[in-house]
Amino acid sequence: MHFGPNWRRQDVIKIQHSFRMKPNQIICLSFILMIGLGTLLLTLPISTTDHMGLHPVDALFVSTSASCVTGLTVTDLKNDLTLFGKVVMLLLIQIGGLGIMTLGTLVAHSMGYRFRLSETQVLQESLNQSSRMGMFPLIRRMIQYTFAVEGFFAVLLAWHFYPEYGWDCIGYGIFHSVSAFCNAGFDLFGNYDSLTKRGDDFFLMGCLGTLIILGGIGFTVIHDVLHNHKWRRLTLHSQIALSTSAFLIVLGGLLIFLVDSQNPRTLGNLPLSEQLAQSFFTSISCRTAGFNTFDLDAATQISKLVMILLMFIGASPLSTGGGIKSTTYFIVMLSMWSVVRGKRENVVFGRQISRKLQVQAYAIFTIATIWVVSAGILLSVIDGEVHQLGAVIFETVSAFGTVGMGIGITNEWDMWGKLILSLTMLMGRVGILTFIMAVIKQEESLIKYPEGNIMIG
């Protein structure tokens, strides 16, 4: 056999092609690298007040939670981390909320770098865009909106925190503004209290709630609303995202209020104004933020079920949140209603939803459900059924929806439990379908087979 120059050249081309990464693989890898860097930094002695650094598994868990803007934590940020550790967490939250490739693209584009076709395909995938047109202006607007909103509310929160923290209010204002807008749910109040001792602070809940909503509806929706002030001028995506988000927030708030307003362990002993404020803030926070104003473990089973459903649905596409996304939930519900009514087409706001979107929505919904149930069962096995299955499912969905709401069992997971939850957080942040497609090889068949009839239902 002759191994000449031509053979070597062809062989190299084949090797390069076999190692060429797909856009969704690059997206996952970017988050993995960021998580790895955060893990390394948090294990350094300079990151913790005891000068020991976090345990590698704990550092991995916390870094994943920050990078995936979740909020689940096994360390007390206020008391256990130094200023350096807190800055690392803040950067992980900010970069994780915007996406590492979004920030990298802005820097490279500003320096005059010309992107190749394969690189723009990666960006399209990360931004969930079907066209390259207007992609770089979109990224620029994303950064501008983010810093404008975070900066404005950081000033408001710093002013609000000044009587309590003095000049440290600046750091508190910046951290909580970024954490809320990025739907991370981390706080610096200490002792894992979140907002449980601030349930009567309407100003704080109002600022954080507004930030959560703005960060969760998506950057394209924000831009659309700012430039098209009338409802009928908005894109179909914006109309569905806004209406679905409003519906879920109102419905969730009302259900939590009706059920837990009689519960003396949560809202029962509070004035009506605080009951309503905390109920709707909890509903907003369940949309992937994770702040809580009362002990979630003491909530009724119905309220916990409502929270699980809200966390599973999550935020809107191209936002700082996770979950299956509000538009996916809307399309699945609309498709089910069309089947029940015997309609062939799914029409909403005068426009038809394509069959491709319906299939993708069902795939996302089904795969996410399978993973959450499987991860919950696996965690229960690891846990030895020490905790009730409902509590384990709550923790699992909180991780998948990148919410970060906990009911007091996060610190009790062993190494394997933390690794499973870390993987679940990564899936929820990058998107369950993106993650699965990055792992499984796609093959397009050129053979067409005849259809077969199967009885269902």
Side-chain angles (χ1 to χ4, degrees):
M1 182 178 294
H2 178 65
F3 297 94
N6 291 336
W7 180 89
R8 289 196 298 270
R9 189 180 301 111
Q10 294 174 0
D11 191 51
V12 169
I13 293 174
K14 290 181 180 179
I15 293 175
Q16 290 177 341
H17 182 74
S18 62
F19 281 96
R20 187 176 298 166
M21 298 182 68
K22 296 179 294 184
N24 41 36
Q25 291 175 327
I26 297 176
I27 294 170
C28 293
L29 181 62
S30 68
F31 273 93
I32 292 172
L33 292 176
M34 181 169 61
I35 291 169
L37 178 60
T39 301
L40 177 63
L41 293 174
L42 291 174
T43 56
L44 298 177
I46 194 177
S47 294
T48 57
T49 54
D50 61 4
H51 305 295
M52 299 290 289
L54 292 181
H55 185 277
V57 176
D58 292 341
L60 173 64
F61 185 87
V62 175
S63 177
T64 304
S65 185
S67 301
C68 299
V69 290
T70 303
L72 289 175
T73 181
V74 292
T75 186
D76 186 341
L77 269 61
K78 178 180 181 180
N79 299 314
D80 295 341
L81 296 184
T82 61
L83 177 61
F84 177 83
K86 292 170 184 174
V87 171
V88 170
M89 291 292 292
L90 181 65
L91 292 175
L92 289 175
I93 293 169
Q94 184 71 87
I95 298 173
L98 285 171
I100 186 170
M101 285 187 297
T102 301
L103 293 174
T105 299
L106 179 66
V107 174
H109 190 256
S110 300
M111 296 174 64
Y113 179 79
R114 291 183 175 274
F115 288 82
R116 296 190 296 268
L117 178 61
S118 59
E119 293 170 332
T120 55
Q121 288 176 340
V122 174
L123 293 173
Q124 283 179 241
E125 186 77 21
S126 66
L127 296 173
N128 196 24
Q129 298 294 299
S130 58
S131 173
R132 296 193 301 272
M133 297 298 294
M135 192 163 52
F136 295 112
L138 171 62
I139 293 174
R140 193 178 300 110
R141 289 194 299 267
M142 287 172 59
I143 306 297
Q144 292 172 346
Y145 292 154
T146 297
F147 290 133
V149 173
E150 289 178 349
F152 175 76
F153 280 94
V155 172
L156 290 182
L157 290 172
W159 170 79
H160 183 67
F161 287 137
Y162 180 76
E164 182 177 0
Y165 297 108
W167 289 110
D168 288 342
C169 67
I170 298 175
Y172 276 80
I174 294 173
F175 187 93
H176 291 97
S177 178
V178 173
S179 180
F181 183 77
C182 291
N183 281 218
F186 286 100
D187 67 87
L188 296 178
F189 301 127
N191 302 315
Y192 306 98
D193 287 337
S194 191
L195 305 184
T196 53
K197 296 180 180 178
R198 302 169 184 267
D200 58 347
D201 193 337
F202 296 138
F203 184 87
L204 179 60
M205 286 191 290
C207 287
L208 296 182
T210 303
L211 282 164
I212 294 167
I213 292 174
L214 291 176
I217 60 175
F219 296 101
T220 54
V221 176
I222 295 176
H223 177 75
D224 198 14
V225 171
L226 290 176
H227 290 79
N228 300 292
H229 305 293
K230 294 184 178 181
W231 176 262
R232 65 175 181 272
R233 293 182 179 177
L234 298 178
T235 63
L236 178 60
H237 169 79
S238 296
Q239 291 176 337
I240 292 177
L242 289 171
S243 57
T244 305
S245 297
F247 169 77
L248 291 173
I249 290 172
V250 173
L251 179 63
L254 288 175
L255 289 175
I256 293 172
F257 169 74
L258 292 174
V259 174
D260 261 275
S261 60
Q262 305 301 319
N263 183 0
R265 299 174 61 194
T266 54
L267 305 177
N269 297 324
L270 301 177
L272 178 61
S273 58
E274 290 187 31
Q275 289 181 345
L276 288 170
Q278 292 193 32
S279 296
F280 282 94
F281 180 81
T282 301
S283 180
I284 292 171
S285 191
C286 282
R287 304 294 311 287
T288 84
F291 295 104
N292 59 285
T293 57
F294 56 84
D295 184 5
L296 299 179
D297 190 34
T300 61
Q301 297 298 317
I302 297 177
S303 287
K304 290 178 183 176
L305 178 60
V306 172
M307 294 178 199
I308 287 174
L309 294 175
L310 291 175
M311 291 190 297
F312 183 74
I313 295 170
S316 299
L318 200 56
S319 70
T320 58
I324 64 170
K325 303 297 187 295
S326 59
T327 48
T328 302
Y329 163 78
F330 180 89
I331 292 175
V332 170
M333 293 297 106
L334 179 66
S335 300
M336 290 173 58
W337 181 240
S338 297
V339 170
V340 171
R341 297 178 62 191
K343 298 181 64 176
R344 290 182 174 271
E345 299 178 345
N346 289 324
V347 179
V348 59
F349 300 128
R351 278 160 286 186
Q352 181 178 335
I353 305 296
S354 69
R355 180 63 60 181
K356 179 181 178 181
L357 284 178
Q358 295 176 50
V359 172
Q360 289 179 339
Y362 272 110
I364 293 171
F365 182 87
T366 304
I367 296 172
T369 303
I370 292 173
W371 175 258
V372 167
V373 173
S374 301
I377 293 174
L378 189 56
L379 285 170
S380 294
V381 173
I382 293 174
D383 182 51
E385 297 190 2
V386 173
H387 300 98
Q388 294 183 349
L389 181 60
V392 176
I393 293 295
F394 190 100
E395 189 91 348
T396 307
V397 176
S398 180
F400 174 77
T402 68
V403 182
M405 282 187 167
I407 51 179
I409 65 174
T410 306
N411 283 323
E412 301 176 19
W413 295 111
D414 62 7
M415 180 186 71
W416 294 108
K418 291 174 183 176
L419 291 177
I420 292 173
L421 287 174
S422 296
L423 180 60
T424 303
M425 287 187 278
L426 179 61
M427 285 185 174
R429 181 64 186 99
V430 302
I432 187 72
L433 194 59
T434 298
F435 185 89
I436 295 297
M437 292 177 67
V439 176
I440 299 177
K441 183 179 180 181
Q442 283 79 57
E443 296 182 359
E444 185 175 351
S445 177
L446 300 177
I447 303 174
K448 300 298 181 182
Y449 295 93
E451 293 184 356
N453 293 323
I454 304 174
M455 291 185 291
I456 60 174

